[in-house]
Amino acid sequence: MLLSLSVVEAAMLFFAYLTLQNGVTAATRFGVTVSNDDDHPTRHADSIMRVMRDATGLKLEDGEFTFYDITTQSSGTGGPDDIIQVTVKHPLQLISPMVWPLVGNGGVITLSVSATMRNEPSPNG
């Protein structure tokens, strides 16, 4: 019984990981093609989070997202030609309490996915 439950949990965990990885890739692709609004810098991050949520269908909290501009070594979604990294750390509660002792932490596994891309250059040159 425990073996069967473990196999099902592992399959669901793998599915959730792939869903998150696909979502963060789609969100980062969106983020690098949309210019950052200097007057409203958080609007860009909000739109990236919306794309991630739409792509995965998961309930992702704002605190699970991290935006990092590798070029300037600072947080944020960067400017034109900057290399940005979007990271999502999502806690996943396992379904079967019988498997919880095998993973510890009350049956919660934190999945971490990220994507790194270069922002498109400024349309003005």
Side-chain angles (χ1 to χ4, degrees):
M1 176 95 166
L2 183 61
L3 181 60
S4 297
L5 291 173
S6 298
V7 169
V8 170
E9 292 283 4
M12 291 173 54
L13 186 67
F14 186 63
F15 175 76
Y17 176 78
L18 289 177
T19 301
L20 285 170
Q21 188 62 52
N22 180 57
V24 77
T25 301
T28 306
R29 280 188 189 138
F30 173 81
V32 300
T33 59
V34 176
S35 63
N36 202 347
D37 184 358
D38 292 334
D39 295 331
H40 304 93
T42 58
R43 191 176 294 164
H44 192 228
D46 289 341
S47 62
I48 293 171
M49 289 188 284
R50 180 184 40 80
V51 169
M52 175 72 178
R53 289 179 181 117
D54 291 346
T56 62
L58 297 172
K59 181 169 174 34
L60 301 170
E61 302 295 330
D62 288 352
E64 297 176 17
F65 290 86
T66 305
F67 300 97
Y68 188 70
D69 184 348
I70 295 174
T71 305
T72 62
Q73 299 291 307
S74 62
S75 63
T77 56
D81 281 327
D82 285 355
I83 298 172
I84 64 163
Q85 181 178 39
V86 178
T87 303
V88 178
K89 293 184 179 181
H90 181 65
L92 183 69
Q93 175 69 51
L94 298 178
I95 294 173
S96 174
M98 291 180 65
V99 182
W100 293 1
L102 298 175
V103 298
N105 198 27
V108 176
I109 295 177
T110 301
L111 300 175
S112 179
V113 294
S114 65
T116 305
M117 296 185 187
R118 181 184 301 274
N119 283 336
E120 288 188 350
S122 173
N124 300 332

